[in-house]
Amino acid sequence: MVITEERESSINNKVEVSYLPQHLDNPITPESADELAAVIDEMVSEVDSDQDYVTIILTSPRGKVAVLNIGILAGKGIGSIEYQGDDEGGNYSKGVEDVGRPVFYYDFGNPRFFPGDSRVAIDSIKQALVRFYETDGSRPDNINWQEWSTEAVDW
């Protein structure tokens, strides 16, 4: 019964995805977890740049708002995730390799910074999107997470 309630709730989620300028006024609105995950493949195939950034906002029927900000290095098959939710924020994916400095992705020409060890496989990002959608915007549990603040970085 609980699973059914979660699925019914997920069906009513409002999900908005933006990665191109036209999405600011007319965001992509996936209607399933699989459609949300497929956005990453579409984004990688449509955009010429090797660096891309996507924002996903989920509003549940209960009014919970959660955001995933994702940077993708399509040519390397990796990316970084930031999770912000009602009950927690400032959580970044934790990968296995640390490049020793912050990494960044372009969000409409503006750099968005992530920890140097935040890069994970694109397949893990797509799995995280499925879990994010199916759990009404909870922080995906298939990713290791870390707190990070750009204030602590020596630029």
Side-chain angles (χ1 to χ4, degrees):
M1 179 90 177
V2 173
I3 294 172
T4 303
E5 288 175 9
E6 280 188 73
R7 287 188 180 168
E8 287 174 6
S9 175
S10 295
I11 291 170
N12 295 316
N13 286 336
K14 178 181 177 185
V15 179
E16 297 181 333
V17 180
S18 301
Y19 65 87
L20 293 173
Q22 60 265 32
H23 297 150
L24 296 176
D25 292 327
N26 189 22
I28 297 169
T29 54
E31 295 184 13
S32 71
D34 290 337
E35 284 183 18
L36 179 58
V39 165
I40 297 298
D41 293 328
E42 291 172 23
M43 182 180 77
V44 167
S45 68
E46 288 180 8
V47 180
D48 294 332
S49 172
D50 192 42
Q51 295 192 44
D52 297 301
Y53 189 85
V54 61
T55 298
I56 301 165
I57 302 170
L58 182 145
T59 306
S60 77
R62 295 180 211 109
K64 177 181 178 179
V65 176
V67 177
L68 289 179
N69 295 303
I70 303 171
I72 298 288
L73 286 170
K76 294 185 178 186
I78 56 176
S80 304
I81 307 174
E82 177 191 14
Y83 172 84
Q84 299 174 9
D86 286 341
D87 48 354
E88 53 189 314
N91 289 275
Y92 294 83
S93 52
K94 183 160 180 61
V96 294
E97 180 183 352
D98 190 346
V99 297
R101 65 189 181 327
V103 296
F104 65 92
Y105 305 89
Y106 285 109
D107 176 21
F108 302 114
N110 299 305
R112 302 295 181 204
F113 293 92
F114 290 76
D117 61 349
S118 63
R119 293 176 174 170
V120 296
I122 286 179
D123 285 342
S124 294
I125 292 172
K126 289 168 47 177
Q127 291 170 5
L129 293 179
V130 169
R131 292 181 182 182
F132 178 75
Y133 188 94
E134 290 178 345
T135 61
D136 292 335
S138 293
R139 188 174 64 182
D141 62 3
N142 70 307
I143 299 289
N144 291 322
W145 296 96
Q146 63 183 322
E147 292 183 15
W148 184 71
S149 170
T150 55
E151 294 173 9
V153 176
D154 182 15
W155 301 104

